[in-house]
């Protein structure tokens, strides 16, 4: 789609209008009910938001990374929970199949995800395997033309809504590290799958995570991603490399919203006889937010463009995720500070965003994992 500026502009203006007219007015109700209204999800399907990154031949929009970043910036000017419901279909829930799946796997599963008929979910994390992702203990043991899966996955985004899981499980228990792990496509209706109760989180109400328990679940051998055992950890890492650029864009979108809210508040709120935005100490906070947002936006755009050109951006994807997620934490803190007492009251969106954005320094690889990825590459002499 990269050359079709007109179609891209139309998509961006549709998303901006949808965010302004439909999503922002529904933020509070989503926070109160911990659910995204069904009519909004249906509109997301109609606009095509579930298939943004899925190739066109499988029913998606086939956006480039740069285009995905632009749409993400527009879409995350509102509560992150709205992006979460379609975020896995565009990211970690579908990309394992897009990147490493066989033609038959792509042809069967991707159109269902692109239309939003199925929600895709990424099942890597376990009670004993978080940052140490290659230590997954869930097993998938070959038995004729099926694999029998046993284990527990934890904090799985969209598990309660999932129609299909990308599951990382150990096909060779004798191989302890990454090499023993394979990736599977698992129909969420398979007998033996149980989704635990929805986690109570610090923020991001409306976006759901839960445990997923697999008990003797029989997965057809043809659902082994790429038809090759032992490649699952690498598939997961490739998915996360891309996801980290997207999450960095999410941080910029949410940051822009908080800053716009804080600026408006600083212009309206009067103390000592004048708007607080006239005070230099408030101005310093506004300026620092703007400068840091610009830095993160530039990093994300540049890295996305380089990925589109086919360059290896593994390390820089981690730089983007590290900088943007830490940046949005600092920005959220300043924006609460600018709001003063109002920033601590849930009537103001900034109170909710402050809690929502805390997750970004943790999921899809903590800041400390990003530092490890970056420094390891440097020590290996990668440019
Ligand atoms: N793309 C492709 N292959 C990759 C890769 C990547 N980005 N990163 C690692 N690999 C490959 C390595 O090349 C290595 O292959 P060989 O065995 O053929 O040499 C294999 O995968 C194992 O890599 P490594 O030894 O670096 O694995 P580690 O166990 O040391 O783990 C970290 C590396 C810590 C970086 C990884 O486990 C990680 O990213 N953890 C965080 C996981 C995460 O983000 N969790 C969030 C939950 S999911 S929402």
């Amino acid at each position: 789609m990269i050359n079709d500026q007109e179609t891209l502009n139309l998509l961006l203006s549709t998303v901006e209008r949808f965010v302004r007219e439909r999503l922002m007015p529904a933020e509070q109700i989503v926070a109160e009910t911990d659910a995204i209204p069904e009519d909004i999800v249906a509109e997301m399907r109609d606009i095509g938001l579930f298939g943004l990154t899925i190739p066109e031949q499988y029913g998606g929009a086939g956006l480039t990374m740069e285009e995905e970043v632009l749409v993400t910036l527009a879409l995350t000017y509102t509560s992150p929970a709205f992006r979460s419901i379609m975020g896995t279909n565009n990211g970690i829930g579908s990309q394992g199949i897009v990147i490493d799946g066989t033609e038959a796997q792509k042809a069967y599963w991707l159109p269902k995800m692109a239309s939003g008929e199925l929600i895709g979910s990424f099942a890597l994390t376990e009670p004993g395997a978080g940052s140490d992702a290659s230590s997954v203990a869930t097993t998938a043991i070959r038995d004729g033309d099926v694999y029998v899966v046993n284990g527990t996955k934890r904090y799985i985004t969209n598990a309660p809504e999932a129609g299909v899981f990308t599951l990382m499980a150990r096909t060779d228990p004798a191989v302890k590290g990454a090499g023993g792990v394979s990736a599977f496509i698992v129909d969420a209706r398979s007998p033996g799958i149980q989704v635990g109760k929805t986690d109570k989180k610090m923020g991001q109400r409306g976006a759901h995570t839960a445990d997923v328990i697999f008990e003797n679940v029989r997965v057809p051998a043809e659902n082994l991603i790429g038809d090759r055992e032992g490649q699952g950890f690498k598939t997961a890492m490739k998915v996360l490399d891309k996801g980290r650029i997207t999450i960095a864009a999410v941080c910029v979108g949410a940051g822009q919203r908080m800053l716009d809210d804080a600026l408006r508040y600083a212009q309206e709120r009067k103390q000592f006889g004048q708007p607080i935005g006239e005070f230099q100490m408030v101005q310093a906070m506004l300026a620092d937010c703007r400068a840091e947002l610009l830095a993160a936006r530039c990093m994300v755009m540049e890295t996305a463009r380089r990925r589109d050109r086919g360059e290896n951006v593994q390390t820089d994807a981690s730089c983007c995720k590290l900088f943007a997620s830490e940046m949005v934490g600092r920005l959220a803190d300043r924006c609460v500070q600018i709001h003063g007492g109002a920033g601590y009251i849930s009537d103001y969106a900034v109170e909710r965003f402050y809690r929502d954005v805390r997750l970004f320094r943790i999921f899809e690889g903590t800041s400390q994992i990003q530092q490890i990825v970056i420094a390891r590459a440097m020590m290996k002499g990668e440019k």
Side-chain angles (χ1 to χ4, degrees):
M1 206 196 211
I2 191 77
N3 294 318
D4 190 355
Q5 195 62 41
E6 207 177 312
T7 312
L8 178 62
N9 289 346
L10 189 64
L11 175 62
L12 288 173
S13 61
T14 303
V15 171
E16 281 163 9
R17 197 171 54 248
F18 182 57
V19 165
R20 211 172 41 244
E21 293 176 4
R22 295 288 288 133
L23 304 189
M24 287 172 68
E27 285 175 7
Q28 201 56 33
I29 192 80
V30 167
E32 280 161 17
T33 60
D34 194 21
I36 299 183
E38 249 322 304
D39 56 334
I40 286 185
V41 178
E43 281 177 67
M44 288 177 171
R45 285 196 193 98
D46 291 345
I47 297 171
L49 295 183
F50 283 87
L52 294 171
T53 64
I54 293 176
E56 284 171 281
Q57 71 260 42
Y58 307 112
L63 297 191
T64 63
M65 190 76 237
E66 181 183 354
E67 292 167 330
E68 184 194 346
V69 164
L70 290 170
V71 174
T72 303
L73 293 175
L75 197 59
T76 51
Y77 195 75
T78 183
S79 296
F82 291 117
R83 189 206 73 97
S84 187
I85 188 70
M86 36 64 68
T88 49
N89 277 33
N90 288 301
I92 56 179
S94 69
Q95 292 303 307
I97 304 175
V98 172
I99 295 170
D100 278 342
T102 64
E103 186 45 48
Q105 289 166 348
K106 290 179 190 180
Y108 184 79
W109 294 100
L110 293 180
K112 295 178 175 58
M113 284 198 234
S115 66
E117 176 194 335
L118 287 184
I119 302 281
S121 183
F122 183 74
L124 171 63
T125 301
E126 297 183 356
S131 291
D132 184 7
S134 66
S135 70
V136 293
T138 296
T139 53
I141 305 300
R142 182 93 190 224
D143 177 15
D145 56 2
V146 299
Y147 286 85
V148 181
V149 177
N150 281 287
T152 298
K153 294 290 175 179
R154 179 141 295 170
Y155 311 139
I156 303 305
T157 301
N158 287 337
E161 292 82 11
V164 57
F165 294 101
T166 298
L167 171 79
M168 266 54 67
R170 194 166 293 284
T171 37
D172 188 348
V175 180
K176 289 294 169 226
V181 178
S182 302
F184 294 90
I185 306 163
V186 182
D187 188 328
R189 295 164 308 180
S190 310
I193 294 182
Q194 211 189 318
V195 177
K197 64 177 180 2
T198 303
D199 298 320
K200 287 191 177 144
K201 306 189 301 312
M202 176 190 284
Q204 301 233 0
R205 284 172 64 82
H208 303 141
T209 64
D211 280 7
V212 185
I213 299 122
F214 296 84
E215 218 180 316
N216 292 323
V217 178
R218 297 175 76 77
V219 177
E222 69 205 35
N223 287 16
L224 173 66
I225 291 183
D227 215 12
R228 283 171 69 203
E229 287 190 5
Q231 296 301 307
F233 181 77
K234 289 181 186 172
T235 298
M237 289 300 115
K238 287 185 249 176
V239 167
L240 288 170
D241 283 341
K242 179 171 187 297
R244 287 165 183 167
I245 302 175
T246 313
I247 298 302
V250 172
C251 294
V252 176
Q256 188 65 57
R257 165 65 184 281
M258 280 186 280
L259 181 55
D260 288 352
D261 282 9
L263 175 62
R264 200 175 323 110
Y265 189 83
Q267 288 168 327
E268 286 166 5
R269 168 76 171 163
K270 288 200 171 105
Q271 287 291 275
F272 304 102
Q274 57 181 333
I276 59 169
E278 298 294 337
F279 294 108
Q280 289 186 346
M281 279 186 271
V282 172
Q283 290 180 349
M285 288 192 276
L286 290 169
D288 284 352
C289 290
R290 173 146 177 172
E292 288 203 283
L293 256 185
L294 176 62
R297 181 181 284 112
C298 292
M299 285 173 83
V300 177
M301 291 303 297
E302 169 69 6
T303 307
R305 287 186 189 120
R306 287 185 38 231
R307 188 180 190 277
D308 287 336
R309 290 201 295 267
E311 293 178 33
N312 180 352
V313 295
Q314 255 175 38
T315 311
D316 288 346
S318 284
C319 290
C320 289
K321 165 78 162 58
L322 172 64
F323 182 79
S325 64
E326 293 286 334
M327 176 282 297
V328 80
R330 292 188 293 271
L331 183 148
D333 192 70
R334 289 186 205 110
C335 290
V336 168
Q337 197 67 16
I338 291 167
H339 278 78
Y344 205 66
I345 303 296
S346 60
D347 292 350
Y348 291 83
V350 75
E351 182 272 341
R352 190 166 16 85
F353 272 90
Y354 178 82
R355 289 181 287 106
D356 289 348
V357 301
R358 186 63 183 82
L359 179 64
F360 300 146
R361 288 157 62 192
I362 299 171
F363 78 166
E364 299 204 22
T366 61
S367 290
Q368 290 67 34
I369 286 294
Q370 310 310 332
Q371 288 169 322
I372 287 170
V373 170
I374 297 161
R376 272 191 191 176
M378 291 168 70
M379 295 300 285
K380 278 193 212 154
E382 284 174 24
K383 295 283 170 228

